[in-house]
Amino acid sequence: FDPLDAIAPFEVLAAGSDAVGGELEVALVSAEGARPVVSGTRGMVLNATAHLDPAKPGYVVVPGASGPIDGDPDEVDTIPVLLARFGQTEAIPLMRQAMANPDVTVATVCGGSLALAMAGLLEGRHAVTHHLGLDVQAATGVNVVNARVVDDGDLVTAGGVTSGLDLALHLLQRSYGPQVALAVESLFAYERRGTVWAS
């Protein structure tokens, strides 16, 4: 995974939780449960503290990958190889269940939506991914929208890595209103960029 894809939404949502008195539970999870998870950026490790529960209401945020873009896919674990490999993990059946749960909204950052699309989970949906993956995403049957954040109801996707900040602020606004989102923007000295595309 790309560390900023995970950390940016995590921090924004954690600050939002603080702003609403802890009502929003924020956790790093994995398909295998609590464990160290090694990122694609110089081996940085984050610790998942719980198992991904597709029956639990709320948001599931899926990060993209970090690594080389070019290279022989038989010799180098490029980002496309890593995203395709995700489609063969224990996470996919869990994500399929989460996406079928009307109480769950799946959100993605950067290549997270491309990983889900390559696993066949986003056909016919409106989504965005990193600009380098838009053609591949379109080839999977996704209705690609070239926007920073795309809100397709129970699927909210964001483009490049820094758009994870905008994604999380949008999720806060959706759930708790603009005052909470603005309070977190002010705390982080960050202003959202672009218009959120909504279906």
Side-chain angles (χ1 to χ4, degrees):
F1 71 97
D2 184 294
L4 193 58
D5 285 4
I7 291 297
F10 183 89
E11 279 206 59
V12 168
L13 294 172
S17 178
D18 292 344
V20 296
E23 179 182 322
L24 175 62
E25 179 186 346
V26 182
L28 292 172
V29 300
S30 82
E32 301 82 13
R35 68 179 181 94
V37 184
V38 180
S39 82
T41 304
R42 304 197 182 214
M44 178 183 178
V45 176
L46 293 179
N47 288 309
T49 57
H51 187 268
L52 171 59
D53 181 357
K56 190 171 187 175
Y59 294 111
V60 176
V61 181
V62 179
S66 176
I69 296 170
D70 297 317
D72 182 342
D74 293 328
E75 297 176 14
V76 179
D77 284 344
T78 61
I79 289 177
V81 168
L82 295 170
L83 295 176
R85 190 177 297 153
F86 177 73
Q88 298 161 20
T89 68
E90 296 174 37
I92 294 305
L94 295 172
M95 291 307 304
R96 187 173 282 111
Q97 291 174 44
M99 294 181 80
N101 183 343
D103 296 324
V104 173
T105 295
V106 171
T108 68
V109 181
C110 200
S113 67
L114 185 54
L116 295 179
M118 291 168 76
L121 299 181
L122 301 188
E123 188 172 349
R125 300 299 303 264
H126 293 91
V128 66
T129 190
H130 188 279
H131 68 272
L132 293 176
L134 292 174
D135 290 343
V136 175
Q137 192 169 46
T140 68
V142 171
N143 297 313
V144 173
V145 179
N146 193 7
R148 192 159 170 87
V149 176
V150 174
D151 187 330
D152 196 33
D154 62 355
L155 174 68
V156 182
T157 57
V161 63
T162 61
S163 63
L165 294 163
D166 302 277
L167 172 93
L169 287 162
H170 176 67
L171 297 180
L172 286 177
Q173 182 165 331
R174 253 179 66 156
S175 293
Y176 298 102
Q179 292 83 4
V180 171
L182 182 59
V184 174
E185 277 189 10
S186 297
L187 177 66
F188 282 34
Y190 177 79
E191 294 180 11
R192 283 180 275 182
R193 293 179 44 213
T195 301
V196 174
W197 182 95
S199 60

